[in-house]
Amino acid sequence: MMEYIWVGAACVAAFVISVLVGKWLIPVLRRAKLGQQIKEIGPNWHMSKQGTPVMGGLMFIAATVLVSAVGIFGFFGETAPMLCVLFLAVSSALIGFLDDYEKLTKKRNLGLTGLQKIVLQVAVTVIFIVLLEVLEISSNTVYLPFFDLTFHLPKVIYYIAATFVVLGTINAANLTDGVDGLATGVTMPIAAFFAVAAFLMGKIGLSLMSAAFFGALCGFLVYNFHPAKVFMGDTGSLFIGGMVTGLAFVLDMPLIILVVGLVYFIEALSDILQVGYFKLTHGKRIFKMAPIHHHFELCGWSEKKIFFVFSGVTLLMAALALFGVHGLWQ
């Protein structure tokens, strides 16, 4: 019974902290004139969002980290995996912060170069994977969802595959942040999935961390729902990707990201296909605009409709994912 109370309290506490930090942070960001620079190639109605405070992701980052830190003291047996998740998420957020800072100080929608960002992300990812191995949190044995099977990969292949999964998920989450509330709404069911899965596996500390992540995102959505009063920025979206990936790896279910994070990968795939097709055909396009949420915008979907449809799809995938990994707690 106490476990339910701890997890529920973490969710509520993170929600309250996120909302309170937002009440203080948004006016600070406005006074500092840290406003979003809108791409001219985007939907023209997005220009009305010019100047909306960015780096609002700091509010759910603060809430998640604070509540998780308290949880670490209460669940010493899970200290190492919880710290590994925070390392990946916070390190990713710092890269996002540098990117946002570059954009805001230069007053244009360009931050770190692609090379700078990928070098930093690869370095963080490799450290994360090495930590998992050194601390014996996970190995190169991979769990196959729905089939309840595990298979062993050679270490080199595992490292390469794991690096692609981490980088792919983090950057896919980043691409999903393009419509008011979208990345927040899509990630909430994923956080809830990890909270439930970890709880059923008896990993209460990780369940508490996931619940805190969920609550913190709910608090942020108070300000981020359309019309958004603040944007999370790369600071927030890269933290989200780091949290989702970190939780999947420490719970030994990295492949479930392909299920529960389906919307992330559709967003990323639409962008890859659009760029590739554009180059191959010298100017033709598959979608009206990529990532795909912009395509639906240009087809006449409102931002609220995109939010509810994409979040609803993720909620269904989260329920399916629970069925897919049920063998881990049976």
Side-chain angles (χ1 to χ4, degrees):
M1 183 63 180
M2 282 302 297
E3 288 87 353
Y4 287 104
I5 295 174
W6 274 108
V7 172
C11 180
V12 173
F15 172 81
V16 172
I17 292 170
S18 188
V19 170
L20 292 178
V21 171
K23 276 192 168 294
W24 166 81
L25 181 64
I26 294 174
V28 169
L29 293 173
R30 285 201 184 111
R31 285 196 298 271
K33 297 182 179 179
L34 298 177
Q36 178 71 45
Q37 302 299 309
I38 304 298
K39 289 182 180 179
E40 293 182 2
I41 61 171
N44 55 22
W45 53 87
H46 278 209
M47 294 306 295
S48 64
K49 302 181 183 187
Q50 184 90 3
T52 301
V54 75
M55 289 200 290
L58 290 170
M59 65 181 73
F60 63 76
I61 293 172
T64 303
V65 172
L66 284 172
V67 176
S68 296
V70 173
I72 287 172
F73 288 108
F75 298 92
F76 292 107
E78 296 179 52
T79 298
M82 291 173 78
L83 286 175
C84 284
V85 174
L86 288 179
F87 166 77
L88 181 61
V90 174
S91 297
S92 298
L94 287 172
I95 295 171
F97 180 85
L98 290 173
D99 196 36
D100 286 333
Y101 183 78
E102 283 288 304
K103 292 175 185 175
L104 295 169
T105 54
K106 293 179 179 178
K107 299 297 180 184
R108 58 199 180 99
N109 202 28
L110 294 170
L112 296 175
T113 65
L115 180 60
Q116 289 172 330
K117 190 181 290 187
I118 197 66
V119 167
L120 289 170
Q121 289 182 328
V122 168
V124 167
T125 299
V126 171
I127 293 171
F128 171 71
I129 296 169
V130 170
L131 281 173
L132 295 183
E133 182 179 15
V134 171
L135 297 172
E136 298 181 346
I137 296 170
S138 68
S139 63
N140 47 339
T141 299
V142 180
Y143 177 75
L144 189 62
F146 299 101
F147 297 95
D148 196 26
L149 298 172
T150 57
F151 57 94
H152 188 81
L153 288 176
K155 186 174 290 188
V156 173
I157 294 177
Y158 175 81
Y159 264 67
I160 294 171
T163 299
F164 273 105
V165 170
V166 174
L167 293 176
T169 305
I170 290 174
N171 288 295
N174 179 236
L175 284 171
T176 306
D177 180 36
V179 168
D180 291 359
L182 183 59
T184 313
V186 166
T187 307
M188 284 164 55
I190 300 175
F193 160 77
F194 284 121
V196 174
F199 191 91
L200 293 173
M201 292 169 70
K203 299 184 177 182
I204 308 304
L206 290 168
S207 179
L208 182 151
M209 172 179 275
S210 304
F213 184 35
F214 174 82
L217 289 171
C218 289
F220 179 67
L221 191 61
V222 171
Y223 306 104
N224 189 229
F225 189 69
H226 184 75
K229 300 177 183 67
V230 66
F231 298 141
M232 67 174 67
D234 283 3
T235 306
S237 60
L238 294 183
F239 176 85
I240 281 176
M243 281 293 297
V244 169
T245 314
L247 287 165
F249 271 84
V250 300
L251 289 170
D252 264 337
M253 53 174 79
L255 292 182
I256 203 64
I257 300 175
L258 296 172
V259 180
V260 76
L262 178 65
V263 168
Y264 289 162
F265 293 107
I266 290 175
E267 293 275 14
L269 183 60
S270 69
D271 203 49
I272 293 168
L273 289 173
Q274 183 85 325
V275 172
Y277 189 74
F278 185 87
K279 290 180 177 179
L280 285 173
T281 59
H282 305 289
K284 293 184 180 179
R285 293 174 171 84
I286 300 173
F287 308 103
K288 292 183 177 181
M289 188 176 176
I292 201 167
H293 55 259
H294 289 317
H295 170 80
F296 286 110
E297 270 194 287
L298 294 173
C299 287
W301 285 30
S302 69
E303 292 192 49
K304 287 183 180 179
K305 181 176 180 178
I306 294 169
F307 169 87
F308 284 115
V309 171
F310 282 40
S311 301
V313 168
T314 305
L315 182 60
L316 292 174
M317 297 310 295
L320 179 63
L322 275 177
F323 172 76
V325 297
H326 74 280
L328 291 175
W329 58 77
Q330 284 189 335

